[in-house]
Amino acid sequence: MPVEDINTQAWNVYGKRQLARAYMPPIPDRLTWTPWEGAGPGAEVLGDITGQRVLDIGSGAGHHAVHLAKAHGARVTGIELSPTQHERAASTHADVPDVEFAQGDVAEYLAEAEPFDAAYAIGTLAFIDPHRVLPALRDGLRPGAPLILSLLHTDLHGRGPSTEVAPREQMILLRDDPPLPTQMWVLAPQLWEDLLTEYGFRVEAIDLLHHPEERAPVIQQLIRARRLPDRTARVSSRPRSAKPPLAHAAVGVGAILLSEQGLLLGRHRRGTLELPGGTVEAGESFEATVVRELREETGLIARPADVRLLGTLVDHIEGVLRVTVGALVHAWRGQPATQPNESVGDWAWYPLDQLPDGLFVCSAQILTAWRPDLPVDHTPAHFTPFAYGTPPATSVDGLA
C-alpha cells in the first residue's frame, strides 16, 4: 500500500473511534503548537491575520481553525483528507462564521483554490511527502505569506529525527485502543530548511519545543517560513567595482571541554549538536574569544591561561574562506546552562564512545583534528596544528 494511503487509513480509523466516543476537543483560549500546553509561542507567529484567508492543513476536529476565526478575526479554511476527521469538524462547527471545512488532498485542493494569505499545520504535514506538498503550498500561497509548521523532532521513545528524506513508522496513540501505524517524514531541522528553500520558501526560525516533564524525551520543532516572491524572468545586475577586492574570511573558534562525564555539546535551535564557540571579534585573541563565547553560551567561567589552542582548520564554503581555530579548555568554573538569547543551549556531557549523530560540521572537524581516532564523518578541511610539538599539517577528511 502506498505510504500516504497508509496514513489516510490510519487517520480515518482514528476519526471513526473519536466519533464513536462523541469526543470533541474544546476550543482553545490560545493556539498551541504541541500536544502539551504552555510550550512556545501562540498565534502571533502567523502575524496579523485579521480578515486574512488562512489555511489549516490537516484540520482534524477543527478546534484550531475556530479559535483563529473567533479570537483573531481570520477567515479560515480547514482542509482534511480523512473523511471521518472532516465529519467531526463539519458536523460540530458548521455554523461558525468565517470558518469552512473541505475534505480532500491538500495539494489537489490548492491547485484549484485562490492563493491564501497564510498557512499552518500542527503536527500534520509530516504525514505527506514533502516533495509533493511543499511545491503545492508554494503555488497556493501569496508571495510573502507565512507558513508555520509544527513537526515531530524526537518521539516518545527518544528516537530523534532522520538525516535522509524518507518516511518511517510512527504510531498514533489513542487511549484504550490499539496504536495505529503510520508513515511519517520525521526529518532533522536542516533537512526541512533545505526542502523549504528548494521549493521557494525562506526559513526565518526553527525552535525546538520540549515537553515540560524533564523525563519525557519528546520534542516538537516549530518552523517559521515565508513564501518568497516570484522571480522576474530576468534579474538586474550591477557593474564590478574598479577597486581591488578585499580579502573575505569567516574566522571562528570551537572549544573542547572534556570532563569525567564526557564531552560538552549544546543543541542549536536548528537541531545540530555543537561545541561552544563563535566568531572572533575585532581586537580579540583566540584565547579571549574562547573565554567570552564560553561565558556567553554556557555560563562557564574560564581564563585565557586555561585555553590551549590546537590549530587552524581551513575550508571553503560557497567561495568564502572559513578559518576555525580549535581549542582545548583545561579548567573552568560553574555548571553549563542554557543562556538567554543564545542560539545554542540544552548543554549536556556525552561520553566520547557515545557521541550523537547530527554534529555541526565545524565541531566535527575540530574533534577529529584533536582525536583522529574518533569515528566522526564530515566534509574535508585542512588542519594546521600550532607549534606545541605536534605533527605537520594534515588533511582532515572525516573518514576515521
Side-chain angles (χ1 to χ4, degrees):
M1 184 183 294
V3 167
E4 291 189 41
D5 289 350
I6 294 172
N7 296 337
T8 303
Q9 185 181 69
W11 283 111
N12 211 33
V13 171
Y14 175 90
K16 185 177 181 180
R17 290 175 180 176
Q18 296 289 45
L19 283 169
R21 288 183 171 86
Y23 171 73
M24 285 294 293
I27 307 305
D29 296 326
R30 176 180 181 271
L31 192 66
T32 57
W33 301 96
T34 63
W36 53 88
E37 297 290 333
E44 67 271 12
V45 295
L46 287 164
D48 183 3
I49 52 175
T50 305
Q52 300 292 298
R53 295 179 64 246
V54 179
L55 182 67
D56 182 343
I57 305 161
S59 49
H63 50 305
H64 296 123
V66 172
H67 166 78
L68 291 181
K70 288 185 172 182
H72 299 276
R75 297 155 55 203
V76 188
T77 297
I79 178 69
E80 173 59 57
L81 185 58
S82 163
T84 55
Q85 287 283 78
H86 170 72
E87 181 182 346
R88 294 176 71 202
S91 62
T92 305
H93 305 302
D95 298 330
V96 177
D98 294 325
V99 178
E100 64 175 359
F101 296 102
Q103 191 271 314
D105 175 76
V106 63
E108 294 175 2
Y109 177 81
L110 286 171
E112 304 294 331
E114 289 294 317
F116 284 85
D117 301 307
Y120 68 97
I122 301 179
T124 55
L125 198 84
F127 294 99
I128 313 171
D129 184 345
H131 289 299
R132 190 174 72 84
V133 72
L134 292 180
L137 282 168
R138 185 195 181 282
D139 294 341
L141 290 172
R142 298 186 187 280
L147 173 64
I148 312 298
L149 305 174
S150 172
L151 300 153
L152 182 64
H153 178 280
T154 301
D155 66 16
L156 289 166
H157 306 289
R159 185 168 51 151
S162 174
T163 55
E164 61 177 351
V165 184
R168 74 185 192 198
E169 185 174 81
Q170 295 283 159
M171 296 293 182
I172 300 174
L173 303 178
L174 187 59
R175 188 172 54 187
D176 301 328
D177 281 312
L180 298 170
T182 67
Q183 292 288 318
M184 287 182 69
W185 279 264
V186 184
L187 308 181
Q190 188 61 56
L191 279 184
W192 280 117
E193 181 169 3
D194 292 344
L195 286 165
L196 285 158
T197 302
E198 177 183 353
Y199 289 116
F201 292 89
R202 181 180 69 251
V203 174
E204 297 178 341
I206 301 178
D207 299 308
L208 298 183
L209 306 179
H210 294 258
H211 196 281
E213 295 181 8
E214 290 186 5
R215 294 184 179 180
V218 63
I219 302 172
Q220 291 284 116
Q221 52 186 314
L222 183 64
I223 301 178
R224 310 181 205 185
R226 195 170 297 276
R227 200 267 207 196
L228 291 172
D230 295 317
R231 285 191 174 186
T232 56
R234 300 183 65 83
V235 179
S236 62
S237 63
R238 64 174 180 80
R240 291 179 181 271
S241 169
K243 296 180 180 179
L246 296 173
H248 184 31
V251 182
V253 300
I256 298 168
L257 279 71
L258 187 66
S259 72
E260 293 181 356
Q261 301 163 278
L263 177 74
L264 183 63
L265 294 171
R267 188 177 294 277
H268 194 279
R269 62 180 177 82
R270 292 181 175 173
T272 55
L273 288 158
E274 50 192 80
L275 300 168
T279 304
V280 178
E281 294 183 353
E284 272 189 330
S285 68
F286 293 133
E287 292 90 345
T289 303
V290 170
V291 170
R292 175 180 55 78
E293 289 288 349
L294 199 59
R295 183 185 67 253
E296 292 176 353
E297 290 191 332
T298 73
L300 295 175
I301 304 300
R303 303 168 303 163
D306 300 324
V307 179
R308 180 178 186 270
L309 302 178
L310 300 176
T312 56
L313 286 148
V314 179
D315 61 3
H316 289 78
I317 303 295
E318 297 181 355
V320 177
L321 176 68
R322 296 183 183 268
V323 180
T324 305
V325 176
L328 189 63
V329 181
H330 292 288
W332 59 87
R333 289 186 290 110
Q335 295 296 325
T338 301
Q339 301 299 306
N341 303 317
E342 290 294 323
S343 59
V344 184
D346 295 336
W347 297 98
W349 303 97
Y350 294 83
L352 286 180
D353 59 353
Q354 299 177 32
L355 292 179
D357 289 329
L359 288 172
F360 180 48
V361 65
C362 289
S363 297
Q365 291 167 343
I366 292 169
L367 288 172
T368 56
W370 169 57
R371 287 278 300 270
D373 59 310
L374 291 174
V376 179
D377 294 336
H378 55 73
T379 54
H382 186 78
F383 177 62
T384 303
F386 289 128
Y388 298 112
T390 47
T394 59
S395 176
V396 178
D397 61 14
L399 300 176

